[in-house]
């Protein structure tokens, strides 16, 4: 291949941005820029691996962009909300991680993609007093990876944004935690006969189910810390699901087991119940019922952020996800990839890859291989979703789920201690992908020590 053909094929506008191939080895200058938008499970794992492979030897400049300063595994947000987990201890600093793993970090929010100029625009940053900290800026790229994740979808339901809390990020989890503490304090100080702490959760998926159970664990812990009048009888949690059953992605047997466990704890599980609006008094249903609640959480569906709709002229679907080919490249630009919840990726057997943590992890691995293949001018491989099952933690009370394709042909239903170990291992796998086995082992040791010397619940 002629030198000019290499330039043309890679689409790089200047000589110092190209990849030259000698004897099958990519010799990439530091000016080759790979930009990753979103530091969730998939985006951060991808940045870490590319940093080790390309950033360490200055074969490429890897930049991760996120609107937050720290990373927390999203499936843990319900534990932050109830205080079972202190994200001040468990969160990971992007700047520190970037420094340790040979990539750059930029704090910012994406506002635009200029595919012709191969650059993105990040919004200005202001402090709480609205003073300008960082002006609007642009970053150039040769390869762009969109890993923005998803946010809750209220489906335009009246009053939801104003009266319900979403659990999409640590800030929202902190808001729930503070309001929960206030409710518990108010109940303990002004206990009236017949009154309860009313909390309603919309959405019978993993988030809604896990939060429901975690609330009863929180009440149990608060009781041991001096809130003597606060117990499971004082808590009235209502879980509302529009479908036929909770946990619809799991087999009916597991869904039924989770339903029974929640009922034993005291959760009122309402299925086939559609919420039509929310106000300061509670949730209004299609049947005309008012579900009274002082604290409401909406966890019923996801969508990509609204600004993603047709961003950069790329193809998006009805929930703003970027439509990608099986190689995870967007349909209209081979140099823009999308992974995780913000990607609409087809499955060979029909349907689309579900928005799960395991999907983001698998996509990050395939995207990593395909970026290297693209730089080496080798064929890209298709991403094939592998369902390893789903696990749902009912706090300290139980864990239920299914494991698929690992221990036996087909699937295996698991409950209790085995399921709990498998559930915890999912987070450990994420930590290993970011830190390696030795550091993850040390973090587990520190976590064990903290469980001895720190309160079992965050009380502030």
């Amino acid at each position: 291949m002629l030198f000019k053909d290499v330039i043309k094929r890679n689409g790089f506008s200047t000589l110092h941005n190209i990849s030259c191939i000698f004897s099958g080895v990519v010799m990439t200058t530091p000016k080759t820029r790979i930009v990753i938008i979103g530091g969730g499970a998939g985006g951060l794992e991808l940045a870490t691996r590319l940093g080790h492979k390309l950033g360490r030897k200055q074969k490429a400049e890897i930049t991760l962009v996120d609107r937050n300063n720290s990373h927390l595994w999203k499936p843990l947000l319900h534990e932050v909300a109830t205080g079972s987990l202190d994200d001040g201890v468990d969160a990971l600093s992007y700047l520190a991680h970037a420094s340790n793993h040979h990539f750059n970090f930029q704090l910012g929010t994406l506002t635009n993609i200029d595919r012709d100029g191969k650059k993105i625009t990040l919004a200005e940053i202001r402090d709480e007093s609205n003073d300008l900290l960082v002006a609007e800026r642009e970053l150039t790229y040769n390869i762009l990876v969109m890993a923005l994740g998803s946010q809750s979808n209220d489906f335009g339901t009246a009053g939801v944004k104003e009266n319900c809390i979403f659990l999409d990020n640590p800030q929202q989890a902190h808001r729930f935690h503070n309001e929960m503490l206030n409710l518990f304090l108010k109940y303990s100080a002004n206990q009236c006969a017949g009154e309860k702490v009313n909390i309603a959760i919309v959405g019978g998926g993993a988030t809604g189910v896990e939060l429901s159970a975690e609330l009863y664990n929180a009440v149990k812990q608060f009781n041991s810390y001096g809130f003597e009048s606060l117990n499971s009888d004082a808590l009235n949690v209502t879980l509302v699901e529009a479908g036929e059953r909770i946990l619809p992605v799991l087999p009916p047997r597991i869904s039924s087991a989770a339903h029974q466990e929640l009922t034993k704890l005291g959760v009122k599980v309402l299925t086939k119940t559609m919420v039509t609006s929310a106000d300061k008094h509670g949730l209004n249903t299609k049947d005309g019922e008012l579900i009274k609640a002082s604290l409401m959480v909406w966890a019923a569906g996801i969508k990509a952020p609204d600004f993603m709709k047709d961003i950069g002229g790329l193809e998006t679907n009805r929930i703003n996800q970027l439509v990608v080919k099986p190689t995870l490249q967007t349909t209209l630009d081979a140099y823009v990839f999308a992974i995780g919840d913000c990607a609409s990726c087809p499955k060979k057997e029909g349907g689309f890859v579900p928005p799960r943590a395991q999907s983001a992890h698998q996509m990050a691995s395939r995207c990593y291989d395909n970026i290297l293949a693209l730089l080496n001018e080798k064929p890209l491989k298709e991403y094939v979703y592998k369902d390893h099952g789903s696990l749902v933690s009912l706090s300290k009370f139980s864990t239920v789920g299914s494991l698929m394709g690992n221990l036996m042909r087909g699937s295996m239903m698991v409950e209790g201690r085995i399921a709990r170990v498998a559930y915890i291992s999912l987070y450990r796998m994420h930590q290993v992908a970011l830190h390696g086995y030795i550091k993850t082992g040390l973090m587990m040791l520190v976590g064990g020590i903290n469980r001895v010397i720190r309160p079992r619940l965050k009380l502030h």
Side-chain angles (χ1 to χ4, degrees):
M1 182 182 295
L2 295 177
F3 194 66
K4 64 180 182 180
D5 293 330
V6 177
I7 301 174
K8 182 178 179 181
R9 186 166 182 174
N10 283 277
F12 300 159
S13 59
T14 57
L15 289 177
H16 63 259
N17 282 342
I18 67 169
S19 296
C20 304
I21 302 174
F22 298 98
S23 303
V25 179
V26 177
M27 303 295 293
T28 311
T29 73
K31 294 298 183 180
T32 300
R33 296 182 173 93
I34 302 173
V35 176
I36 303 167
I37 310 295
L44 186 56
E45 288 183 17
L46 178 60
T48 302
R49 293 190 66 183
L50 288 174
H52 289 170
K53 182 70 174 181
L54 302 176
R56 184 196 303 267
K57 298 180 180 178
Q58 296 188 341
K59 291 182 177 180
E61 183 179 290
I62 318 299
T63 300
L64 175 68
V65 177
D66 197 277
R67 64 192 306 173
N68 299 305
N69 282 303
S70 61
H71 163 82
L72 184 73
W73 202 47
K74 194 171 182 179
L76 296 177
L77 284 176
H78 70 282
E79 295 188 26
V80 176
T82 58
S84 300
L85 181 74
D86 186 349
D87 65 321
V89 175
D90 290 88
L92 178 152
S93 166
Y94 286 124
L95 277 174
H97 192 75
S99 176
N100 292 332
H101 297 276
H102 315 286
F103 64 90
N104 302 315
F105 172 69
Q106 287 269 357
L107 180 68
T109 302
L110 177 72
T111 58
N112 187 48
I113 300 174
D114 177 3
R115 293 195 292 120
D116 293 331
K118 287 191 176 294
K119 57 187 178 182
I120 62 169
T121 303
L122 301 181
E124 61 183 21
I125 301 175
R126 293 182 176 271
D127 63 12
E128 294 178 355
S129 301
N130 204 36
D131 292 331
L132 181 65
L133 301 178
V134 181
E136 183 181 84
R137 60 207 188 277
E138 293 181 340
L139 298 179
T140 59
Y141 69 86
N142 302 121
I143 295 175
L144 178 64
V145 182
M146 302 294 288
L148 278 164
S150 62
Q151 63 186 40
S152 298
N153 190 351
D154 64 7
F155 305 102
T157 308
V160 169
K161 290 182 179 179
E162 296 79 11
N163 297 285
C164 296
I165 297 176
F166 303 126
L167 288 183
D168 297 325
N169 55 55
Q171 291 76 24
Q172 293 170 339
H174 292 160
R175 178 188 166 194
F176 178 93
H177 182 68
N178 291 334
E179 293 194 17
M180 180 192 74
L181 290 178
N182 290 338
L183 277 178
F184 288 170
L185 178 61
K186 181 179 178 181
Y187 177 86
S188 298
N190 306 288
Q191 184 180 5
C192 298
E195 289 192 4
K196 292 190 175 186
V197 178
N198 296 312
I199 299 177
I201 302 167
V202 182
T207 298
V209 169
E210 292 181 331
L211 179 61
S212 298
E214 202 65 56
L215 282 166
Y216 281 87
N217 177 58
V219 165
K220 183 178 179 181
Q221 300 301 332
F222 270 98
N223 181 268
S224 67
Y225 282 117
F227 287 73
E228 296 180 359
S229 61
L230 189 65
N231 53 45
S232 58
D233 292 332
L235 184 62
N236 180 33
V237 177
T238 303
L239 179 62
V240 185
E241 167 58 38
E244 295 282 335
R245 58 188 176 91
I246 62 172
L247 302 175
V249 299
L250 289 176
R253 176 179 173 274
I254 295 297
S255 173
S256 177
H259 191 138
Q260 291 176 14
E261 289 290 340
L262 291 178
T263 302
K264 288 179 184 178
L265 290 177
V267 179
K268 184 179 181 181
V269 182
L270 301 178
T271 56
K272 295 184 283 188
T273 303
M274 182 174 292
V275 175
T276 55
S277 66
D279 56 42
K280 64 180 181 179
H281 302 294
L283 302 169
N284 299 296
T285 72
K286 188 176 181 180
D287 297 329
E289 180 186 359
L290 171 65
I291 301 173
K292 293 182 179 180
S294 301
L295 183 56
M296 294 168 280
V297 174
W298 187 275
I302 63 102
K303 64 178 180 178
D306 291 334
F307 74 87
M308 288 277 289
K309 185 64 178 176
D310 301 323
I311 190 169
L314 296 168
E315 182 183 2
T316 55
N317 64 9
R318 60 181 178 81
I319 56 172
N320 309 324
Q321 292 174 312
L322 291 167
V323 181
V324 299
K325 298 183 289 186
T327 56
L328 302 178
Q329 296 164 296
T330 52
T331 54
L332 301 179
D333 195 323
Y335 295 94
V336 179
F337 291 78
I339 63 174
D341 291 3
C342 74
S344 175
C345 182
K347 294 193 295 184
K348 280 189 175 182
E349 63 273 20
F352 295 88
V353 176
R356 299 183 189 174
Q358 63 174 301
S359 307
H361 171 75
Q362 294 173 21
M363 285 181 169
S365 296
R366 175 53 62 208
C367 187
Y368 167 81
D369 291 335
N370 280 349
I371 287 176
L372 296 184
L374 187 63
L375 293 176
N376 280 283
E377 294 192 327
K378 293 181 179 180
L380 277 63
K381 295 182 179 180
E382 295 185 355
Y383 164 63
V384 178
Y385 172 64
K386 297 179 181 179
D387 187 355
H388 297 301
S390 298
L391 294 164
V392 177
S393 171
L394 303 181
S395 187
K396 306 297 182 183
F397 308 105
S398 181
T399 300
V400 298
S402 63
L403 299 177
M404 302 180 66
N406 292 324
L407 303 178
M408 59 183 294
R409 189 179 184 87
S411 64
M412 180 179 73
M413 309 306 168
V414 291
E415 299 180 51
R417 188 176 297 275
I418 294 177
R420 181 66 181 173
V421 171
Y423 181 85
I424 294 173
S425 70
L426 297 177
Y427 181 44
R428 299 305 178 197
M429 289 172 58
H430 175 61
Q431 289 180 307
V432 168
L434 298 179
H435 307 293
Y437 288 99
I438 295 177
K439 191 171 182 180
T440 298
L442 293 173
M443 293 170 72
M444 292 171 63
L445 176 61
V446 172
I449 295 173
N450 281 335
R451 282 193 293 272
V452 175
I453 64 176
R454 297 176 65 87
R456 288 168 291 176
L457 204 68
K458 187 177 180 182
L459 303 170
H460 59 281

